[in-house]
Amino acid sequence: LALEGNAHNIAADVYSAGAVLAGLVAVRFSGLNILDPIIALGVSVPIVKSGYDVLHKSFGGLVDVKLPEAEETMIEETIIAHGEVVSFHELRTRKVGSQRHIDLHLVMPREASVDEAHRICDQLEQEIANKLRQTNVIIHVEPCSQQCAQCPSSCPERPGGD
């Protein structure tokens, strides 16, 4: 981003120098002094636009921003694909520079052991990290609230369950 900003700055210097030269030549040969500020205004528009573009693009690299919708959808699909998972909520994503941070609450069947929950969390973290490079995933595990009608998991608490 710094190199790109510097390149735009150099380009603005070239535009400015060209505009000054064009203004001097135009005023010298036409005698119309009004041409100089008109040319200056004309060259200022692309310079201001370039500055805005650099600022807008670099702003995302300087502050936290939410991950793109496509990446969040991929994360949600990865979680849903695990049959052992009851549900998830409070999915929070952010990107700082090139690093992605993902935080979510994972709802597991109440009878799942700590080992089981840990294994599933490790699998999810690895799958997400394989799909999105430079990603840090934090998963908070919660037991289900026994709302069996909405639960995709099979467990002893669910009517007709295992």
Side-chain angles (χ1 to χ4, degrees):
L1 291 173
L3 290 175
E4 186 176 337
N6 195 36
H8 285 286
N9 183 40
I10 292 169
D13 290 344
V14 171
Y15 297 150
S16 298
V20 168
L21 180 61
L24 289 173
V25 170
V27 169
R28 173 77 170 132
F29 290 111
S30 71
L32 297 171
N33 290 341
I34 192 72
L35 290 178
D36 187 38
I38 291 172
I39 292 172
L41 283 173
V43 80
S44 69
V45 171
I47 291 172
V48 169
K49 184 190 180 314
S50 173
Y52 173 79
D53 291 345
V54 168
L55 181 65
H56 187 265
K57 190 173 187 178
S58 65
F59 192 71
L62 298 173
V63 297
D64 296 0
V65 292
K66 181 179 173 184
L67 291 182
E69 196 65 38
E71 290 184 9
E72 283 195 355
T73 301
M74 185 278 309
I75 294 165
E76 292 169 359
E77 289 171 352
T78 302
I79 296 167
I80 292 168
H82 279 267
E84 305 99 333
V85 173
V86 173
S87 67
F88 69 96
H89 58 273
E90 294 191 40
L91 174 63
R92 294 177 294 224
T93 65
R94 63 187 170 99
K95 187 172 184 180
V96 182
S98 62
Q99 185 68 35
R100 292 174 182 87
H101 297 275
I102 301 165
D103 182 340
L104 63 102
H105 291 207
L106 190 68
V107 180
M108 296 291 296
R110 188 167 289 281
E111 78 283 349
S113 69
V114 173
D115 283 341
E116 244 182 303
H118 187 264
R119 178 186 54 78
I120 291 168
C121 288
D122 283 347
Q123 286 176 353
L124 282 173
E125 290 170 1
Q126 189 61 50
E127 287 178 30
I128 292 169
N130 288 342
K131 294 176 182 178
L132 298 173
R133 298 288 179 213
Q134 295 181 306
T135 299
N136 180 27
V137 182
I138 297 174
I139 300 175
H140 172 79
V141 178
E142 298 177 357
C144 72
S145 60
Q146 295 181 330
Q147 296 175 342
C148 298
Q150 295 90 9
C151 182
S153 180
S154 60
C155 71
E157 301 295 325
R158 184 181 177 125
D162 298 335

